[in-house]
Amino acid sequence: MRTATIDELTQRLRTLPDNPRVVVSGNMAVPWEGVRALDAAQPSYVLHALNAPAGLPDREGVTVETCFVGPGMRRHPRLRYVPSRLSLVPLLYGRALPPDAVLLHCAPPRDGQVSMGLEVNVLPAALEACRARGGLVVAVVNPQMPYTFGDAQVPLEHVDLVVEVDVPLPSHAATEPDPESRLIGERVAAMVQDGATMQLGIGAVPDATLSALTSRRGIRMWTEMFSDGVLALDEAGALDPDHPLVTSFSFGSTDLYAWLDGNPRVRMMRTEKTNDPGLIASQRQMTSVNTALEVDLFGQANASRINARIHSGFGGQTDFIVGALHSAGGQSFIALRSWHPRADVSTIVPLLDEPVTSFQQSAIVTEQGVAPLWGRSEKDQCHDIIEKCAHPRVRDDLWEEAQSLGLGS
């Protein structure tokens, strides 16, 4: 390991093979200085990241590759989407998607180890695959990145170059949920008992669910990510004080980052642990809360595509639904608005036109109500999806379609 300047990093990146695959920290932890150096060094390359934000290089020669499409990738003209459940993505780095270099965004070293801070996810597997084939590992070290523990920690001897920067991290101030999201969150929270283990996805509904759980006690977290909602649970005394908070990445306010920095209660774990259905199933009262773009009358959810174009991907939704339903006392919810405010369409449809992301949840939840699915006949499921979850203005149309699908009473 040695410390290098950005210019020296650029020179080193020029020695990579032609059209190299470079894995970088994704979500809101992209090491932008490293990405710019890569773009200056290589005429063509594959940039691999999960859920990347806006700002990725967009020119001829740059292919952006991912197993989970972020906002900065959806309209990229050279997007290469590789479908995979999130729990299986780490296996790809040793097989189909071998990395030539890895660029990590890290907190400064403590006791001989840097920390990947907010973003662990699939990066440990990428780092190991890269080192196994003699690739380049770069740590872009930023004092504004919180130091987190668990699989976030990387021994300095596993890093070839350290580049020091001092730049603010992207953050998002916590906001009050809109009325529909608050109501959905309250409906989900009403079905969560003391001592439950929570997994929540990204968005207003998961945040509203957490804010409605402050009266619970003994709540645990085993999740892909969390945001500021965890702070409210901690302040309210709702969290189990004797159990670590397990997650794979985080994004939120500067208050959240300060709380994460050096917090021994938080364990940032690699994806193949957090998303392992067997480990998920071993958690106490595992409760999975995710959302979708649309749900059909068979209880199938599409969270991946719009008009056949990829919007996000499988992510960890299937991993957690399967794991939660195998957990003692576990539950899995798909929570969404009954009406899409921007597209101005119902999110409850007769039959999905898009590929199915997940199915066989415990229940569908909207601001209209709750439709329990688990252990009920398809006709009973359909009845409650229409009468309890769909927006009133489309219920008659849905019943007409249900008849043609053989779901009518």
Side-chain angles (χ1 to χ4, degrees), residues 2-146:
R2 72 179 185 88
T3 302
T5 65
I6 291 292
D7 288 342
E8 290 171 330
L9 171 61
T10 304
Q11 292 297 325
R12 180 65 181 84
L13 289 169
R14 288 191 175 120
T15 68
L16 294 176
D18 291 342
N19 198 39
R21 173 177 287 106
V22 181
V23 178
V24 302
S25 305
N27 285 289
M28 294 299 171
V30 176
W32 291 112
E33 293 74 17
V35 171
R36 285 191 284 269
L38 171 65
D39 196 53
Q42 287 287 337
S44 65
Y45 60 92
V46 177
L47 186 67
H48 184 102
L50 283 190
N51 198 34
L56 299 181
D58 181 3
R59 62 169 175 81
E60 288 296 330
V62 178
T63 299
V64 297
E65 180 182 76
T66 190
C67 297
F68 192 84
V69 179
M73 296 174 150
R74 287 177 188 138
R75 293 174 179 82
H76 199 286
R78 287 164 298 280
L79 170 66
R80 180 190 295 165
Y81 168 60
V82 182
S84 178
R85 286 166 48 190
L86 203 55
S87 61
L88 298 177
V89 172
L91 295 177
L92 296 176
Y93 298 131
R95 302 176 186 177
L97 307 177
D100 297 293
V102 176
L103 303 180
L104 306 173
H105 196 171
C106 298
R110 300 182 188 181
D111 301 322
Q113 298 186 99
V114 292
S115 169
M116 289 183 274
L118 299 176
E119 173 81 0
V120 174
N121 230 322
V122 298
L123 295 173
L127 185 154
E128 291 164 3
C130 184
R131 293 187 71 232
R133 63 198 310 261
L136 176 68
V137 177
V138 178
V140 178
V141 171
N142 183 1
Q144 300 196 47
M145 175 68 76

Side-chain angles (χ1 to χ4, degrees), residues 173-239:
T175 58
E176 285 294 316
D178 58 86
E180 290 84 1
S181 296
R182 183 182 297 110
L183 180 55
I184 296 169
E186 289 171 352
R187 291 189 188 282
V188 174
M191 295 180 281
V192 177
Q193 305 300 314
D194 288 348
T197 304
M198 302 300 301
Q199 176 265 325
L200 299 104
I202 302 171
V205 170
D207 289 345
T209 301
L210 283 183
S211 67
L213 290 175
T214 53
S215 64
R216 303 295 188 275
R217 291 298 177 263
I219 294 295
R220 297 179 177 182
M221 299 294 294
W222 183 286
T223 185
E224 286 177 339
M225 68 85 63
F226 59 60
S227 190
D228 284 71
V230 173
L231 296 181
L233 293 183
D234 191 35
E235 292 170 0
L239 297 174

Side-chain angles (χ1 to χ4, degrees), residues 120-121 149-152 246-248 267-271 273-274:
V120 174
N121 230 322
F149 300 105
D151 292 327
V246 174
T247 189
S248 194
R267 283 291 179 270
M268 303 290 287
M269 306 298 283
R270 54 199 296 161
T271 293
K273 293 180 183 176
T274 59

